[in-house]
Amino acid sequence: MFHLANVPIIMHFVLELMAISSFFRQPGLQLHDPNPSREAVLVCHSYAGTLLTLNVICGMYMLLEGVGRFGPIGTALAWSLSTYHIFPMFRAWDRLQRRAAGGNYTSEYDIGGGPKGNFRGHLLLFVSLVSAGIFGLLRAD
């Protein structure tokens, strides 16, 4: 069985697999450009590598620490992962604002529910990871 405070870390691990795949295999979708520059593609690939690194850390945590307990390492991981999710929320919020302003921002690519779905998903992960982090701090001896 698993400790409830590990659920956000497990959710992060599973959901980020999709993001890793998208940033690596379909950078044009992420960039909203069917013909992105080579440099932009390499930046997306680099970002996919960063996300993969986070997932390796999550996987190692689950493998080495187990998901049946939640201690100081789980607390540190939850806080660290929560900070990551601030930045994709900012990106999604910016995209929502540009759409609302009616400027020239449009996209035929609405991965993961578009900016609204992305914002909600990252907000859910952020709140759940912060909650796990708070739980870990409150139960620290």
Side-chain angles (χ1 to χ4, degrees):
M1 201 59 190
F2 58 90
H3 194 285
L4 192 58
N6 281 316
V7 170
I9 294 171
I10 295 166
M11 285 182 354
H12 174 90
F13 180 83
V14 171
L15 294 174
E16 289 305 325
L17 289 173
M18 292 179 276
I20 292 164
S21 176
S22 180
F23 276 99
F24 188 74
R25 295 180 62 227
Q26 300 173 312
L29 293 178
Q30 290 293 337
L31 296 167
H32 305 281
D33 182 352
N35 298 305
S37 71
R38 181 70 182 143
E39 190 63 28
V41 168
L42 292 172
V43 169
C44 281
H45 289 175
S46 182
Y47 187 60
T50 300
L51 293 175
L52 179 60
T53 300
L54 288 175
N55 257 18
V56 167
I57 293 168
C58 289
M60 294 305 294
Y61 164 74
M62 291 184 283
L63 182 68
L64 297 175
E65 289 291 308
V67 294
R69 60 182 189 266
F70 189 81
I73 294 173
T75 302
L77 183 57
W79 281 111
S80 298
L81 292 174
S82 71
T83 61
Y84 157 76
H85 288 280
I86 294 168
F87 298 94
M89 283 190 303
F90 177 76
R91 178 179 179 227
W93 183 259
D94 183 72
R95 289 170 55 213
L96 283 167
Q97 297 308 304
R98 285 187 284 156
R99 281 189 177 180
N104 63 355
Y105 179 77
T106 57
S107 173
E108 66 264 20
Y109 306 118
D110 275 339
I111 303 167
K116 190 180 291 187
N118 282 311
F119 184 83
R120 288 177 180 162
H122 284 287
L123 181 62
L124 171 69
L125 284 169
F126 175 78
V127 169
S128 64
L129 287 161
V130 167
S131 297
I134 290 170
F135 170 81
L137 288 177
L138 293 177
R139 69 180 290 270
D141 298 327

